[in-house]
């Protein structure tokens, strides 16, 4: 009888330990991430997606007077060049208040945008040569 009582007590103790662990509110993945230093995490991207790249390009080209056209008469064609950069081609948009030949949409210039820093380069001052220079 003493052995049965000892086993019952051991079983109850084990159940209490399991129940206490389940109620602690943390699973193993939360516990593992709790000790990761913040410095080991990559910094957030300044330009996380194509929409953010287009917004930066639009602001820059108007600030630097690279065109007199409004955004209504411009087409932005963004794409991810590689893991670190976006490229945004800027074209004329024709039709309606913008005028021009509907069958054409000439490229005006191109911007390169660094995702991590937001730094930009453009060939806006010499599009035919495609020579890029830094721009804000």
């Amino acid at each position: 009888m003493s052995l049965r009582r000892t086993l019952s007590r051991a079983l109850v103790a084990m159940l209490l330990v399991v129940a206490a662990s389940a109620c602690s509110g943390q699973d193993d993945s939360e516990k593992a991430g709790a000790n990761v230093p913040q410095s080991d995490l990559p910094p957030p991207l300044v330009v996380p997606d194509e929409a953010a790249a287009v917004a930066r390009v639009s602001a820059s080209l108007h600030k630097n007077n690279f065109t007199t056209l409004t955004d209504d008469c411009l087409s932005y064609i963004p794409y991810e060049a590689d893991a670190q950069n976006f490229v945004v081609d800027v074209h004329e948009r024709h039709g309606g208040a913008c005028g021009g030949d509907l069958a054409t949409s000439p490229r005006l210039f191109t911007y390169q945008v660094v995702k991590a820093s937001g730094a930009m380069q453009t060939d806006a001052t010499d599009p035919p040569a495609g020579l890029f220079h830094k721009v804000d």
Side-chain angles (χ1 to χ4, degrees), residues 38 52 58 68 74 81 92 105 112:
Q38 291 296 322
S58 175
T68 58
L74 295 172
E92 287 182 14
S105 179
Q112 297 171 340

Side-chain angles (χ1 to χ4, degrees), residues 12 20 35 46-47 54-55 59 62 79 82 85 96 101 115-116 124 134:
V12 168
N35 293 328
V46 173
V47 185
V54 166
H62 292 298
Y79 57 94
D82 55 42
N85 302 288
D101 182 356
K115 294 178 184 180
K134 291 182 181 181

